Amino acid sequence: RNMAVALVEQGNYEQAVAQYQKAIDDTGKAFGPNHPQRARLMADLAVYQMSHANVQQACLQLQDAVGIMAKTIGSDHPDWAAANSHLADCYRLSGDFATAVKLLNASVATDTKALGQNHPEVAEDSALLGSVARDDRQFQIAERYYLHALEIDGKVLGPLHPKTQAIALQAALNYVAWQNPDQAEPLFELAVRGVLNDLTERSFYMSEGDRLRFLKTVPTVIPSYFLFAYTYPNRPGLIGK
């Protein structure tokens, strides 16, 4: 697994997938096909495949992983909830919003019971529910989920944490889709401020993994903000700064 993670951080997709598959096969041979560690590796590989638009293959991996975890560690374990949430995201990307909501509600229940209602994993579940609602054009429902997630991560992780920034960006995009620029602008500002903080304050002591994550974040946050500014040119926002 460590070799696969290193290849992911280097951006070497094909070798990373091959290394993950080797780790899955080796774990299956050593402990059997239904071992929870094999399921965790399958879930890790699926999330990586989703990030490279290989949604169909990722969904199959996640279905197997969630099934194995349910039988071994149980559906009241946070690891099961994490894999289940990623499976829900697969259904969201496939347009099956009802199934995605059902799965995410189950993950919220497990994470809340196991970790507490103010844990970042609960925030991540809530943000995913927001994304499902936004894709289904239920912007008011999405707003509630995103703001709940922001409240948790803002208190627990801080406003400049990458997870907080990511949720702020998604909440801003929800307001843009809802044609509510007044609410979108401060959230864009939060997301951009986090990127600038990483660039000016953290760039000298970032790990290689953090540096690569930062380089993936910038092409998402900055163009989204400038597209917003172009759409609403009467709002100077951060452009002047």
Side-chain angles (χ1 to χ4, degrees):
R1 183 182 184 276
N2 291 338
M3 179 65 73
V5 171
L7 290 166
V8 167
E9 292 183 344
Q10 294 168 16
N12 194 327
Y13 177 75
E14 291 184 359
Q15 288 189 29
V17 169
Q19 192 63 41
Y20 264 123
Q21 194 59 58
K22 182 178 184 300
I24 291 168
D25 293 342
D26 290 347
T27 303
K29 290 176 183 177
F31 302 107
N34 293 321
H35 195 276
Q37 183 56 27
R38 180 173 178 271
R40 291 185 182 98
L41 289 167
M42 292 168 65
D44 287 346
L45 172 57
V47 171
Y48 185 51
Q49 289 174 319
M50 285 174 65
S51 71
H52 286 74
N54 194 347
V55 176
Q56 185 175 5
Q57 184 62 36
C59 287
L60 295 174
Q61 289 267 21
L62 284 166
Q63 286 172 348
D64 289 345
V66 169
I68 293 170
M69 288 185 188
K71 293 176 183 177
T72 53
I73 59 177
S75 59
D76 56 352
H77 195 286
D79 285 355
W80 174 88
N84 190 60
S85 292
H86 291 306
L87 179 58
D89 205 28
C90 273
Y91 281 106
R92 175 185 71 85
L93 294 170
S94 302
D96 188 347
F97 303 132
T99 301
V101 168
K102 181 180 178 180
L103 293 175
L104 284 168
N105 283 334
S107 293
V108 169
T110 293
D111 282 333
T112 300
K113 183 178 180 180
L115 305 171
Q117 61 183 2
N118 292 319
H119 194 277
E121 288 296 325
V122 176
E124 189 165 337
D125 295 335
S126 184
L128 280 172
L129 280 164
S131 295
V132 173
R134 187 185 71 197
D135 288 357
D136 201 22
R137 302 194 64 80
Q138 299 184 57
F139 302 123
Q140 190 168 4
I141 295 174
E143 175 190 40
R144 184 174 76 246
Y145 284 127
Y146 282 134
L147 294 184
H148 179 58
L150 272 175
E151 182 181 10
I152 295 173
D153 278 355
K155 289 179 180 177
V156 177
L157 302 176
L160 298 182
H161 192 277
K163 287 188 175 181
T164 310
Q165 297 166 30
I167 294 172
L169 176 62
Q170 295 305 314
L173 294 173
N174 181 63
Y175 282 125
V176 170
W178 199 3
Q179 297 184 350
N180 193 338
D182 289 340
Q183 299 290 341
E185 186 166 358
L187 293 167
F188 273 121
E189 183 170 350
L190 174 60
V192 172
R193 188 153 46 92
V195 169
L196 296 178
N197 180 73
D198 284 344
L199 182 63
T200 58
E201 302 294 331
R202 297 183 62 239
S203 59
F204 295 106
Y205 56 88
M206 278 184 183
S207 68
E208 180 65 7
D210 284 343
R211 185 186 71 83
L212 290 168
R213 278 188 288 272
F214 170 73
L215 292 176
K216 289 181 181 178
T217 301
V218 172
T220 304
V221 174
I222 300 299
S224 296
Y225 178 77
F226 277 103
L227 179 60
F228 168 74
Y230 179 80
T231 305
Y232 299 96
N234 60 327
R235 315 183 69 85
L238 289 179
I239 293 179
K241 301 176 187 178

